Amino acid sequence: MLSLHVENAKQTNLVDLNKIMRRSKGFWGYSESYLDEFMQRLPVTENCIKNYDMYCVYIDGILGAFYGFKKNDEDQDELDFFFLDAPYIGKGLGRELWKFSLISAKELKIKTFVIASEPHAEKFYLKMGCKKIGVRPPPIVSMPDIPLLIYSIE
């Protein structure tokens, strides 16, 4: 059984978080040019780590996932990052990462949050109990619309 451990993200994690994000997005079969554009437009930045509630998840001592909450432009709590490194996708660790994110949300006193989902991950979020409330235009023109979901903590 794998050992999982959560820590607050630090500036020293920045390069690794971006590598995990790229590999996670790449799992879905996006082209290298798409991934290059995505990472140029939407990287994890020093500002994200400084101003969001960002968490690193270590899997058997290796940084293998991360998630983060922020206030979006509508002043809603948003799960803005939720990335599992590609080698771990499909092994049940997404559900564990979700559990960690809910624990963090409760600690942050978040009752409801929205998610602008990776289109391929929408089914996962629906299985976790999220409700679809609409779509957002994609950040990159060649990308499909982004499912917008909401989750309420009981």
Side-chain angles (χ1 to χ4, degrees), residues 107-126:
E107 289 172 354
L108 295 167
K109 310 253 186 285
I110 294 173
K111 303 269 191 234
T112 301
F113 58 88
V114 295
I115 304 166
S117 173
E118 154 62 46
H120 294 97
E122 179 180 5
K123 287 180 184 176
F124 167 80
Y125 290 118
L126 293 173

Side-chain angles (χ1 to χ4, degrees), residues 135-154:
V135 294
R136 273 190 190 161
I140 299 171
V141 175
S142 62
M143 187 176 183
D145 285 341
I146 304 298
L148 189 59
L149 307 158
I150 193 165
Y151 187 85
S152 297
I153 298 174
E154 300 172 10

Side-chain angles (χ1 to χ4, degrees), residues 9 11 20 26 31 34-36 43 52-53 57 63 81-82 90 92 94 114 116-117 119 128 130 132-133 140 144 148:
Q11 295 295 335
I20 289 169
S31 69
Y34 170 85
L35 292 172
D36 289 343
Y52 299 178
D53 293 295
V57 180
L63 180 54
F81 293 101
F82 189 89
V114 295
S117 173
M128 297 300 105
C130 295
K132 187 170 184 175
I133 56 173
I140 299 171
L148 189 59

